[in-house]
Amino acid sequence: MPREPYSPRAFVGKILSLTSGFFFELGFILFVILLVLGITSVVTFVMSLVG
Amino acid sequence: MFRLRDFKIVFKDLSLLLMLIAVAMLLPALVGLFYADSQDALDDFLVTAAITGAIGAAGYFLIGRTQEMALKHAIALIVLFWPIAAFFSSFPILTTGAAPSFTDAYFESMSGWTTTGLSTISGNVESFPHSVNLWRGMLQFMGGIGVILISIIVLAQARTGSESISLVASEFAIGERIRPSIWGTAKILMTLLIFFLIVCSIILLIAGMDPFDALFHAMTGLATGGFSTYSHSIAHFQSGTIEIATVIVMMIGATNIAIHFAVLSGNYRELLFFRNIEVRSFVAFLLIFSAAGAVWLTSLTSLGSMEAINESFYHIVSAMTTTGWTVASGGDLSASYPAVFLLTLAVCAIMGGHSVSTAGGIRQIRVALIIKSVWWHIKKTLLPSTVVFPRSYHHIVKKTVTDSRMTDIYVFVSIYLLMLLISTIVVMAHGYPLEKSFLESSSSLTSLGMGFGIASTAAAEGVKAMLIIDMWVGRIEIVPVLLFFASFSRRFK
């Protein structure tokens, strides 16, 4: 299959896609960290009241 | 059945890999020059590189033409690569004086290649030359990439149907081809990993590490290996920002490469609403065990609530990603935490990270499917026999689960737990208590690498040997070792 000719626009598009994809992934990981820490804190607090 | 001509095929490829390792050894020598390490340390790397390269070249050119690789050759290559690579890679660690004996140097080298991170010499790591530390980091990064790459390329080259290697390829990308061609997939993987190495180094640099530490921890974190340039691991930094940054690096390393590729290509749905089965499973267990761990640490130790939450969360992430970094002030976790928390860490490591990642353990896909299979079994029992219900899950695309796939999973888990039992017994036979023996064995087998008080220079040679074997077979998921030895039998002519 013949390779596509080099296109600066396509290259920049790929870089932007990669960057936005990475920041989405980073945002998801931070969301998970906050979610887990938040719920863990709530559970620990509730158990300290019960305990 | 394995014959002499089969060994030629395997050793030719091993020789090629040895030449690549020899080239890789030149980088620590260069870095050592930059940091003004001793001339002896530089010489050790250069001499070892020369000898390794010469042996590799001799093997490659003397063996000559060989036949095409078949499945048994691919399996032999995967099985033999780790002990042989670890052997040659251990010499710089030994000759520079970082390790007091060959066993300790080999232990460190195997721990590097298998991305375990368990060490008998980590107490002195701050005194190692920069060249030696960089080599330790490189071993883990190469080990992390290598396990994915070798398996894709080698197993794909083997002329066989995909079903027959489902056990061997269970962690590997046969089902995860990102591109139609294997070389295309391999190129994408290398690009992704180099991209993440650069990005994670920048994240750690911004968090406050110096450039060498940032690069080192990016390499060992992405590889979910857990080596550090400090004997107290991440606890050395005493920084919440660095802890969060290292959590990010660990979670990137333990995520399925196919998920990374999907998201970086714009398929955000894979993560949204926890659609992917492994993401869902990983986060669910992370939540459950972090919360439980925090409650136990609050009630069973003198830690305050905030410290308990922080240390529980960090160590559970470290265990589930099988990285092994710690934020505990002491080196021996068994002295810092109650038994129930240590057992939880072992269970998390046994479950492990995502498949097709650098993480170890049984892997989340198997854990999730085992749990689902229990539910399917309940449905099948309670519903009328004429009812047909789908057994499927979402991972990039919707996938159906067959009985054959579930059998493979149950066989694998059985063998894994049997290996853990054998290792625990062998370590106990050297006089160690049950709890520590189990924890240290699980730490080695799952590539976790957290120390529980056994692995040290003073440990018996038999214990070190058992843990080395655990690291080796755990990295390649045991089954290839069984297949390798079985291939010598006349039954499989």
Side-chain angles (χ1 to χ4, degrees):
Chain A
M1 194 172 176
R3 290 181 73 172
E4 289 174 10
Y6 173 72
S7 159
R9 209 177 227 181
F11 180 73
V12 169
K14 274 190 182 170
I15 297 293
L16 284 173
S17 170
L18 202 66
T19 311
S20 61
F22 174 73
F23 278 110
F24 180 85
E25 207 175 304
L26 185 62
F28 180 80
I29 291 173
L30 288 169
F31 167 71
V32 167
I33 291 171
L34 287 171
L35 177 74
V36 173
L37 283 174
I39 294 177
T40 301
S41 302
V42 168
V43 169
T44 309
F45 175 69
V46 167
M47 292 305 291
S48 68
L49 293 176
V50 169
Chain B
M1 193 181 148
F2 235 79
R3 298 178 199 281
L4 181 62
R5 61 169 182 263
D6 298 312
F7 277 109
K8 283 175 68 174
I9 298 168
V10 175
F11 280 110
K12 190 169 172 100
D13 278 345
L14 278 172
S15 300
L16 177 62
L17 291 169
L18 277 183
M19 287 195 281
L20 293 174
I21 290 171
V23 171
M25 281 182 190
L26 298 177
L27 187 59
L30 272 172
V31 168
L33 209 60
F34 178 78
Y35 281 97
D37 287 348
S38 72
Q39 188 60 42
D40 286 343
L42 301 180
D43 289 345
D44 289 331
F45 274 97
L46 292 173
V47 168
T48 311
I51 294 173
T52 306
I55 293 172
Y60 188 83
F61 292 110
L62 284 174
I63 288 174
R65 277 190 170 195
T66 55
Q67 293 172 320
E68 264 183 8
M69 187 177 267
L71 175 65
K72 59 182 175 180
H73 307 125
I75 291 170
L77 182 61
I78 290 170
V79 168
L80 293 174
F81 172 73
W82 308 101
I84 290 174
F87 176 79
F88 286 95
S89 305
S90 62
F91 284 100
I93 300 171
L94 176 67
T95 53
T96 53
S101 71
F102 176 75
T103 313
D104 291 311
Y106 191 75
F107 191 104
E108 190 79 359
S109 181
M110 182 63 89
S111 184
W113 276 108
T114 57
T115 72
T116 302
L118 193 60
S119 177
T120 59
I121 58 174
S122 61
N124 302 322
V125 82
E126 283 96 332
S127 64
F128 293 170
H130 281 88
S131 51
V132 173
N133 267 328
L134 180 66
W135 184 233
R136 292 169 68 235
M138 283 175 67
L139 288 181
Q140 293 209 316
F141 191 65
M142 292 189 296
I145 297 177
V147 74
I148 299 173
L149 273 184
I150 285 177
S151 306
I152 294 170
I153 295 167
V154 168
L155 284 171
Q157 279 183 345
R159 301 286 169 189
T160 180
S162 59
E163 279 302 314
S164 67
I165 55 169
S166 60
L167 269 176
V168 178
S170 49
E171 82 166 297
F172 305 133
I174 298 303
E176 302 281 359
R177 278 188 202 183
I178 296 168
R179 283 278 182 269
S181 82
I182 295 306
W183 290 109
T185 300
K187 264 171 42 179
I188 292 284
L189 279 176
M190 284 302 301
T191 309
L192 272 178
L193 287 163
I194 300 296
F195 169 74
F196 279 125
L197 179 63
I198 294 168
V199 164
C200 289
S201 300
I202 293 170
I203 289 174
L204 292 173
L205 207 56
I206 293 170
M209 285 190 184
D210 69 49
F212 184 83
D213 284 346
L215 176 65
F216 182 94
H217 289 90
M219 285 195 290
T220 61
L222 273 180
T224 60
F227 274 161
S228 177
T229 45
Y230 301 101
S231 53
H232 286 158
S233 188
I234 304 303
H236 164 86
F237 296 100
Q238 296 291 309
S239 161
T241 317
I242 286 179
E243 287 175 17
I244 294 289
T246 51
V247 165
I248 291 170
V249 173
M250 286 192 278
M251 288 178 75
I252 290 174
T255 299
N256 192 312
I257 286 283
I259 295 176
H260 282 309
F261 182 77
V263 174
L264 293 177
S265 302
N267 179 7
Y268 300 158
R269 289 176 308 163
E270 211 47 36
L271 295 180
L272 276 175
F273 310 117
F274 302 99
R275 206 167 169 220
N276 185 283
I277 188 174
E278 287 196 290
V279 171
R280 202 180 318 145
S281 174
F282 186 89
V283 174
F285 284 116
L286 182 60
L287 195 56
I288 292 166
F289 288 122
S290 288
V295 170
W296 291 324
L297 290 182
T298 310
S299 57
L300 298 174
T301 68
S302 57
L303 289 172
S305 296
M306 291 309 295
E307 284 171 316
I309 291 166
N310 177 47
E311 292 192 22
S312 173
F313 171 71
Y314 194 91
H315 288 107
I316 296 295
V317 169
S318 184
M320 286 193 69
T321 58
T322 69
T323 306
W325 280 334
T326 71
V327 292
S329 45
D332 177 6
L333 290 178
S334 60
S336 308
Y337 297 127
V340 63
F341 187 69
L342 298 177
L343 180 62
T344 304
L345 294 179
V347 168
C348 287
I350 290 168
M351 287 196 301
H354 291 202
S355 59
V356 199
S357 72
T358 58
I362 289 173
R363 309 308 179 92
Q364 290 296 320
I365 185 67
R366 293 191 183 99
V367 173
L369 286 179
I370 288 173
I371 293 170
K372 271 185 167 271
S373 72
V374 171
W375 175 238
W376 292 326
H377 184 74
I378 291 171
K379 278 169 82 170
K380 185 179 154 193
T381 309
L382 295 179
L383 291 173
S385 57
T386 48
V387 171
V388 174
F389 54 89
R391 298 191 303 174
S392 61
Y393 64 96
H394 178 86
H395 174 61
I396 313 296
V397 293
K398 188 173 174 183
K399 295 187 178 183
T400 306
V401 180
T402 58
D403 285 341
S404 166
R405 178 98 196 266
M406 288 312 304
T407 304
D408 288 345
I409 290 174
Y410 287 125
V411 166
F412 172 77
V413 172
S414 305
I415 296 170
Y416 201 92
L417 295 177
L418 181 63
M419 185 68 205
L420 181 56
L421 178 66
I422 292 170
S423 176
T424 303
I425 291 171
V426 168
V427 174
M428 278 176 68
H430 287 83
Y432 293 99
L434 170 62
E435 180 187 307
K436 284 198 176 193
S437 301
F438 171 76
L439 291 171
E440 203 81 334
S441 294
S442 60
S443 184
S444 303
L445 191 65
T446 61
S447 309
L448 169 61
M450 278 181 184
F452 293 101
I454 291 181
S456 71
T457 50
E461 298 291 290
V463 169
K464 291 180 195 174
M466 186 70 244
L467 297 180
I468 287 171
I469 292 170
D470 282 337
M471 290 192 272
W472 169 44
V473 302
R475 178 74 276 186
I476 56 176
E477 296 202 337
I478 309 171
V479 172
V481 178
L482 299 176
L483 295 175
F484 173 67
F485 286 111
S487 67
F488 287 95
S489 168
R490 288 178 193 276
R491 280 188 204 190
F492 303 105
K493 212 170 175 180

